């Protein structure tokens, strides 16, 4: 039980650190813009990865940005149409088990019509961070409870 207490406290610390270190998404003016036609698209558990024609970067729209099905549908139906993405050239995510890097997409439009604005993406990310704070509190309390339960039988006599 002591192991579970330590594990709970560790998860609490990680979630709390995630919440404390989150400073929000970059401003729209700080983002780089890329436009092109879809070469390939792949929807996964944690987001939508895709590549644009004649653009050297590969992109990822994170599921925590919200409206994943709507974004995926818009990308899939954009055959032959230009897609514009706003991304932070300093922010990449890696594909598990590979050395591939993808740039996080913070705003996306198809044929000039915004599918997912930065404001909505930022609200969704902020909601994730609020959840991280609650998760941290839950695991901290759980760790303390389990720690007390594990400690008492050893010192009850």
């Amino acid at each position: 039980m002591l192991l579970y207490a330590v594990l709970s406290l560790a998860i609490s610390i990680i979630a709390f650190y995630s919440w404390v270190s989150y400073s929000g998404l970059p401003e729209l003016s700080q983002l780089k813009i890329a436009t092109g036609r879809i070469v390939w698209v792949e929807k996964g558990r944690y987001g939508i990865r895709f590549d644009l024609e004649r653009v050297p970067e590969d992109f990822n729209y994170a599921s925590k940005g919200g409206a994943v099905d709507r974004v995926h549908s818009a990308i899939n139906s954009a055959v032959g149409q230009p897609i514009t993405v706003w991304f932070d050239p300093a922010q990449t995510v890696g594909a598990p088990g590979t050395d591939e890097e993808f740039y996080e997409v913070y705003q996306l439009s198809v044929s000039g019509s915004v599918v997912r604005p930065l404001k909505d993406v930022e609200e969704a990310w902020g909601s994730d961070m609020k959840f991280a704070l609650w998760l941290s509190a839950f695991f901290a309390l759980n760790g303390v409870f389990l720690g007390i339960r594990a400690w008492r039988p050893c010192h009850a006599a």
Side-chain angles (χ1 to χ4, degrees), residues 59-79:
F59 300 100
N60 178 64
Y61 177 80
S63 59
K64 67 180 172 180
V68 175
D69 290 334
R70 185 175 64 190
V71 170
H72 187 248
S73 177
I75 291 172
N76 275 336
S77 64
V79 176

Side-chain angles (χ1 to χ4, degrees), residues 15-75:
F16 186 73
Y17 177 76
S18 174
W19 177 75
V20 167
S21 63
Y22 178 69
S23 60
L25 299 183
E27 297 289 325
L28 198 59
S29 61
Q30 297 173 319
L31 299 176
K32 185 175 175 182
I33 300 172
T35 301
R37 291 178 174 77
I38 288 290
V39 175
W40 58 264
V41 60
E42 177 183 282
K43 185 177 178 186
R45 183 175 183 181
Y46 300 107
I48 304 164
R49 294 192 169 141
F50 58 95
D51 188 26
L52 299 177
E53 187 177 75
R54 295 190 196 108
V55 176
E57 297 90 357
D58 291 332
F59 300 100
N60 178 64
Y61 177 80
S63 59
K64 67 180 172 180
V68 175
D69 290 334
R70 185 175 64 190
V71 170
H72 187 248
S73 177
I75 291 172

Side-chain angles (χ1 to χ4, degrees), residues 43-145:
K43 185 177 178 186
R45 183 175 183 181
Y46 300 107
I48 304 164
R49 294 192 169 141
F50 58 95
D51 188 26
L52 299 177
E53 187 177 75
R54 295 190 196 108
V55 176
E57 297 90 357
D58 291 332
F59 300 100
N60 178 64
Y61 177 80
S63 59
K64 67 180 172 180
V68 175
D69 290 334
R70 185 175 64 190
V71 170
H72 187 248
S73 177
I75 291 172
N76 275 336
S77 64
V79 176
Q81 299 175 46
I83 290 183
T84 302
V85 296
W86 285 256
F87 67 99
D88 182 354
Q91 180 67 38
T92 61
V93 291
T98 70
D99 60 350
E100 293 178 287
E101 286 190 329
F102 295 86
Y103 290 86
E104 290 285 3
V105 172
Y106 297 115
Q107 181 166 296
L108 179 122
S109 71
V110 175
S111 297
S113 178
V114 176
V115 175
R116 191 72 176 151
L118 175 64
K119 177 182 72 71
D120 293 351
V121 172
E122 188 162 30
E123 285 175 12
W125 280 56
S127 177
D128 252 25
M129 290 301 109
K130 288 176 187 170
F131 179 71
L133 181 60
W134 285 105
L135 192 67
S136 174
F138 170 77
F139 277 102
L141 292 173
N142 188 52
V144 168
F145 173 76

